[in-house]
Amino acid sequence: MVALCCQFHSINYFNSQNVKSRSKNFIFCSVQPTQSNIKVVINGAAKEIGREAILAVTKARGMEVAGAVDTYHVGEDIGQVCGLEEPLEIPIINDLTMVLGSISQATAFGMKSVVYVPRIKSDTVAALSAFCEKASMGVLVAPTLSIGSILLQQAAISASFHYGNVEIVESKDDASDLPSANANQIANNLSNLGQIYNRQDSSTDVLARGQVLGDGIRVHSLILPGLPSSTTVHFSGPGEVYSIKHDITDVQCLMPGLLLAIRKVVRLKNLVYGLEKFL
């Protein structure tokens, strides 16, 4: 079924700060068979994000689900668990190594990985990059797979060259991990530009003014049950306010970025940080 010249891809999928999910990390492994379809094995397939990934890969051109791993619904057909009309004839297995063993020949021809992790230290990225360079291994490290989140970050960078005042307001329905990884990423991006923000505001020690990140950027986190995950960046200048907003209402928002990442990582022979490199 799989030719020896196939390519093997492993995609590690971690829980996003901006998505309501209690899922543990997911691993997507794919093999390139002779008919050019990418075969994808999903770890955590029965959880919310995993089920959406199953549906997305099933509908996508040029790829197919080859295996499903989870500790829940073991033995059940993953297609039926995901609500598909027709079963995929792929049972959920609770042993990832067993699934990978069936395609072990592919591992000898190189592994490709997409690591989706909202928070990762720069020294970890540097160490991983050095390893990938030495091994000629393609890896995409993506702090977010939401294309909308990436577009917001890019728009915020552009706006920062024209405004000296900026604050971030985020909302979500639980108080875990604040400020969010997305807010931290935006603040880091703007701080790396070498500009000091909100110079005329001396109230940095007032708790109601929010937490200061980076070079004077404040973050306000609104937590209420039922709120969608939302991020708004407000800029101001003389006589005007410029606001950029992005809302996440469903984990489906991650799927276009995931499919793009699967297709792009095939050609990599080193580490690339950020899905935005491919937009």
Side-chain angles (χ1 to χ4, degrees), residues 220-255:
H220 309 265
S221 299
L222 177 63
I223 307 298
L224 284 174
L227 281 180
S229 296
S230 177
T231 303
T232 305
V233 186
H234 298 283
F235 293 90
S236 73
E240 65 176 344
V241 175
Y242 176 57
S243 300
I244 317 165
K245 184 178 182 181
H246 176 244
D247 295 333
I248 289 180
T249 59
D250 195 275
V251 296
Q252 292 180 9
C253 70
L254 302 176
M255 298 305 117

Side-chain angles (χ1 to χ4, degrees), residues 95-146:
D95 187 353
L96 178 62
T97 58
M98 182 183 300
V99 177
L100 298 184
S102 65
I103 51 176
S104 59
Q105 289 178 330
T107 61
F109 294 87
M111 181 182 295
K112 309 286 186 176
S113 300
V114 174
V115 182
Y116 172 37
V117 50
R119 297 182 188 272
I120 184 171
K121 296 181 179 180
S122 57
D123 55 347
T124 302
V125 175
L128 182 59
S129 179
F131 174 81
C132 293
E133 192 73 28
K134 183 177 181 180
S136 297
M137 179 184 296
V139 172
L140 170 60
V141 177
T144 181
L145 288 174
S146 166

Side-chain angles (χ1 to χ4, degrees), residues 130-222:
F131 174 81
C132 293
E133 192 73 28
K134 183 177 181 180
S136 297
M137 179 184 296
V139 172
L140 170 60
V141 177
T144 181
L145 288 174
S146 166
I147 293 177
S149 292
I150 294 173
L151 294 178
L152 181 142
Q153 293 175 15
Q154 293 176 337
I157 291 174
S158 298
S160 67
F161 292 105
H162 306 282
Y163 298 99
N165 302 302
V166 57
E167 300 205 6
I168 301 171
V169 179
E170 62 177 358
S171 67
K172 50 187 300 191
D173 66 354
D174 66 84
S176 62
D177 202 19
L178 296 175
S180 70
N182 193 39
N184 275 284
Q185 183 67 48
I186 294 172
N188 289 338
N189 289 345
L190 300 185
S191 297
N192 288 338
L193 300 176
Q195 180 173 335
I196 303 298
Y197 302 93
N198 306 313
R199 291 176 179 270
Q200 298 177 348
D201 189 344
S202 59
S203 59
T204 55
D205 295 330
V206 178
L207 294 180
R209 290 291 294 113
Q211 181 176 343
V212 177
L213 298 178
D215 296 333
I217 302 169
R218 289 190 187 82
V219 177
H220 309 265
S221 299
L222 177 63

Side-chain angles (χ1 to χ4, degrees), residues 20-67:
K20 180 183 178 183
S21 175
R22 299 180 183 273
S23 306
K24 295 181 180 179
N25 50 306
F26 299 82
I27 301 175
F28 300 77
C29 307
S30 59
V31 176
Q32 184 74 45
T34 54
Q35 64 267 33
S36 76
N37 271 358
I38 301 174
K39 289 193 174 183
V40 182
V41 177
I42 302 175
N43 187 21
K47 299 179 178 66
E48 182 182 10
I49 299 177
R51 294 195 304 269
E52 288 297 334
I54 290 286
L55 297 175
V57 171
T58 300
K59 297 175 183 178
R61 297 180 59 183
M63 62 182 69
E64 61 183 278
V65 178

